Amino acid sequence: MQPVKLLNQGEDYPICHISTPSDDRQVTAIAVDNHFYRFCCIQTDPAVTLDLLQTASAEGKLTVMTATQREYRVWVHEPLATLAPSTDQTPRPSLSAFGAANCWIIGDRPITFCDCTLNVPDFPDAVSGIAYRQKLFSFYCREQDAHTALNVGSSLSQRGDELVISMTEDAYAVYLYEPGATITQ
């Protein structure tokens, strides 16, 4: 399973064209964290977008989602891509743009996911959370619709918070990484 990057601000990623060894033509891409991600698809349904991101992640693909007010664009990592030569006087994009923190999208509860109660240094009382990938995440919020969950996730990850979005049939739970947390006994 791979993390996803959730972006919603155009200035967070330069748009460019890349070439890949498997394709002779140039394709549209974005540069995030010094890597190229080729354009994959546009979705207008946020639930379908989350399912698509979760499936790609489970297949081991690194993906980025960019959002506008009306649609979600999915981009897939191209590890062997090179920046295509510019055909006009357009300046080449800077590849040092760093994207959002990692987001893990969990569709069905994998064996590595478990509910727990956490002691978090910033909170006086124990809080609900999950243990996932040898990290502890505190419960942040529960949303009824995918659009709100993606907006919350994008905002949190763009401010630097690693997070998990857990999808169930009736809701989306958002959890924040807590590096100083411990599991209560």
Side-chain angles (χ1 to χ4, degrees), residues 42-177:
I42 294 175
Q43 287 293 329
T44 56
D45 185 325
V48 171
T49 302
L50 273 167
D51 284 338
L52 180 66
L53 292 170
Q54 192 275 327
T55 300
S57 173
E59 292 173 354
K61 297 177 183 170
L62 292 171
T63 56
V64 172
M65 182 215 67
T66 58
T68 66
Q69 289 187 358
R70 288 180 240 150
E71 64 189 23
Y72 306 92
R73 294 179 182 187
V74 177
W75 309 78
V76 178
H77 184 236
E78 280 291 343
L80 302 176
T82 56
L83 190 60
S86 179
T87 56
D88 56 15
Q89 299 301 325
T90 306
R92 293 169 67 94
S94 166
L95 299 184
S96 61
F98 287 94
N102 288 337
C103 175
W104 304 93
I105 299 175
I106 303 171
D108 46 10
R109 293 181 175 242
I111 200 145
T112 57
F113 171 100
C114 64
D115 294 313
C116 57
T117 303
L118 305 175
N119 288 320
V120 178
D122 296 345
F123 301 125
D125 298 321
V127 296
S128 297
I130 58 171
Y132 180 69
R133 299 184 67 93
Q134 300 178 343
K135 293 182 177 182
L136 301 175
F137 295 82
S138 65
F139 176 76
Y140 182 75
C141 68
R142 178 182 170 102
E143 300 296 341
Q144 295 302 313
D145 66 280
H147 176 73
T148 305
L150 282 169
N151 282 344
V152 169
S154 294
S155 296
L156 292 170
S157 69
Q158 284 187 288
R159 76 176 196 190
D161 288 315
E162 185 174 350
L163 65 135
V164 170
I165 297 176
S166 174
M167 302 184 307
T168 62
E169 290 183 23
D170 61 342
Y172 303 87
V174 178
Y175 297 86
L176 294 177
Y177 174 50

Side-chain angles (χ1 to χ4, degrees), residues 31-43:
V32 178
D33 291 343
N34 291 318
H35 296 282
F36 293 113
Y37 294 81
R38 72 171 163 75
F39 175 73
C40 176
C41 65
I42 294 175
Q43 287 293 329

